[in-house]
Amino acid sequence: MLILVLSSCKKEGEYHSVSDKVEAEGKPYHGKLTSDELLAGTELIEITEGEHTFLIPEREGQIKSFACIECHIKPLSNMKGLNEKKAHWDIQLNHANGEIMNCITCHNADDMNSLNTLTGKNININLSHKVCAQCHSSQFEDWKGGAHGKKVAGWAPPRASMTCVNCHNPHDPSFDTRWPVQFNTQKAIEREEGLDH
Ligand code: HEC
Ligand code: HEC
Ligand code: HEC
Ligand code: HEC
C-alpha cells in the first residue's frame, strides 16, 4: 500500500524539463497556489483600518434581497402593516436584547441600501465590520491585526481576510455550543454485540 502511494507521488513530482522544475519549485509554498491564485474569482475590496491595509470579500453581490431600495422607497412606518405576512419573516433577531438593539441600530432607515453607526453615520454594506467594531472593539482590534478571523489565503501579500459577517450572522451571531467529539468505548462494544436497542 505504502509503496503504491509513494510511487504515484514520484510520478506527479516529475518535470518535463529543467526550466519547468525551476519554475514550479520557485513558486511560494513549493508549488502550492499563491494568494493571488487562490483569490482569483472572488471579488475583493481593499480597506485601510488604522495602519493595516488588506482585502476583504465584497458582500452586496452576495445578498439576494439587494438592492433594498427596490422596495424601500418610502419610510418604514408607511411600509409596515401593509401585508399580513412579514416581509423579512426569515430574520429573527437573536443578538443583543431588545433594549440595546433593533433593526435600525444597524440598518439605515433613510437609505436601506446602507448601514449606519450609532451616531447616524452612513456605512456601506460592504464595510459592515465598522458597524460591529462599535460594540466589539477588542475583536475588531484583533481582526485588524489578523489574530481574530481567518485569512482567506496564506501570509504572503496581498493579505485577504474574511470579514465578520462571513463567519457571524449579524442577526444571530453566536455559535451553538458543541460537545467535544468523544468515542464511547462501552457503546461500541454493546453495538458490536448487538445489545444496543
Ligand atoms: C421585496 C421587497 C423588499 C426588499 C427587497 C427588502 N425589503 Fe425590507 N421590508 C419590506 C417590507 C414590505 C417591510 C415592512 C413590512 C414588514 O415589516 O414586514 C420591510 C421592513 C424592513 C425592516 C424593518 C423590519 C422591522 O421589523 O422593523 C428592515 C430593517 C428592512 N426591511 C431591511 C431591509 C434590507 C436591509 C433590505 C436589503 C438587504 C431589504 N429590507 C430589502 C420589503 C422589502
Ligand atoms: C447588529 C447589526 C444588525 C441588526 C441589529 C440587524 N441587521 Fe440586518 N444586516 C446586518 C448586516 C451587517 C447585514 C449584511 C450582511 C452580509 O453582508 O451578508 C444585514 C443584512 C440584512 C438583510 C439582507 C440579507 C438577508 O439576510 O436577507 C436584511 C433583509 C436585513 N439585514 C434585515 C434586518 C431586519 C429586518 C432586522 C431587524 C429584525 C435586522 N436586519 C437587524 C446587520 C444588522
Ligand atoms: C450596538 C452594539 C452592537 C453592535 C453594533 C453589534 N453587536 Fe454583537 N453583541 C452586542 C451585545 C450587547 C451582545 C450580547 C452580549 C454578549 O454576549 O457579549 C452581542 C453579541 C455578539 C456575539 C456573540 C458573543 C458571544 O459571546 O457568543 C457575536 C459573535 C457578535 N455579537 C458579533 C457581532 C457582529 C459580527 C456585529 C456586526 C455585524 C455585531 N456583533 C454588532 C452588541 C453589538
Ligand atoms: C473566520 C471566521 C471569523 C471571522 C472573520 C470573525 N470571527 Fe468572531 N469568532 C469566530 C469564532 C470561531 C469565534 C469563537 C466562537 C466560540 O468560541 O464559540 C468568534 C468569537 C467572536 C465573539 C465572541 C467573543 C469571543 O471572542 O469569543 C465576538 C464578539 C466576535 N467573534 C466578533 C467578531 C467581529 C466583530 C468580527 C469582525 C471584526 C469577527 N468576529 C470576525 C470566527 C470569526
Side-chain angles (χ1 to χ4, degrees):
M1 262 309 186
L2 189 62
I3 292 167
L4 250 176
V5 172
L6 282 176
S7 64
S8 68
C9 273
K10 194 171 174 247
K11 234 178 206 156
E12 269 174 26
E14 271 171 7
Y15 300 101
H16 294 293
S17 67
V18 175
S19 58
D20 277 1
K21 182 173 176 175
V22 169
E23 197 194 330
E25 301 204 339
K27 279 187 182 175
Y29 314 121
H30 310 287
K32 287 205 195 109
L33 293 176
T34 62
S35 302
D36 283 325
E37 287 163 330
L38 268 173
L39 295 171
T42 321
E43 203 172 317
L44 297 161
I45 50 173
E46 189 180 272
I47 59 164
T48 298
E49 291 294 347
E51 33 187 69
H52 303 278
T53 295
F54 54 102
L55 303 166
I56 58 170
E58 186 271 348
R59 296 297 308 159
E60 284 178 0
Q62 307 296 317
I63 299 173
K64 284 200 208 86
S65 51
F66 206 80
C68 318
I69 55 163
E70 279 174 24
C71 297
H72 286 274
I73 34 172
K74 25 182 198 187
L76 266 182
S77 51
N78 295 0
M79 291 176 75
K80 278 196 194 172
L82 292 181
N83 296 312
E84 286 279 307
K85 207 170 164 239
K86 280 192 76 137
H88 304 294
W89 52 270
D90 55 330
I91 296 175
Q92 278 276 357
L93 200 54
N94 179 24
H95 192 152
N97 80 48
E99 309 233 313
I100 302 179
M101 189 185 277
N102 61 26
C103 309
I104 56 169
T105 305
C106 303
H107 291 283
N108 188 339
D110 299 328
D111 170 13
M112 207 46 102
N113 274 357
S114 304
L115 301 165
N116 60 186
T117 63
L118 298 170
T119 53
K121 195 169 161 267
N122 208 57
I123 305 275
N124 187 291
I125 278 197
N126 285 328
L127 306 179
S128 57
H129 61 275
K130 288 183 184 292
V131 171
C132 317
Q134 302 173 101
C135 304
H136 301 292
S137 53
S138 69
Q139 286 82 10
F140 172 66
E141 288 302 318
D142 289 349
W143 175 77
K144 264 195 319 197
H148 185 105
K150 199 174 181 299
K151 304 253 180 323
V152 180
W155 290 93
R159 172 186 155 193
S161 288
M162 306 272 231
T163 188
C164 316
V165 294
N166 286 127
C167 300
H168 300 288
N169 178 340
H171 307 129
D172 186 7
S174 67
F175 295 105
D176 291 339
T177 351
R178 278 182 294 182
W179 288 99
V181 179
Q182 333 182 304
F183 185 74
N184 188 326
T185 338
Q186 187 55 36
K187 270 264 184 266
I189 294 168
E190 286 172 5
R191 239 175 249 135
E192 197 109 298
E193 292 170 350
L195 298 172
D196 190 31
H197 291 296

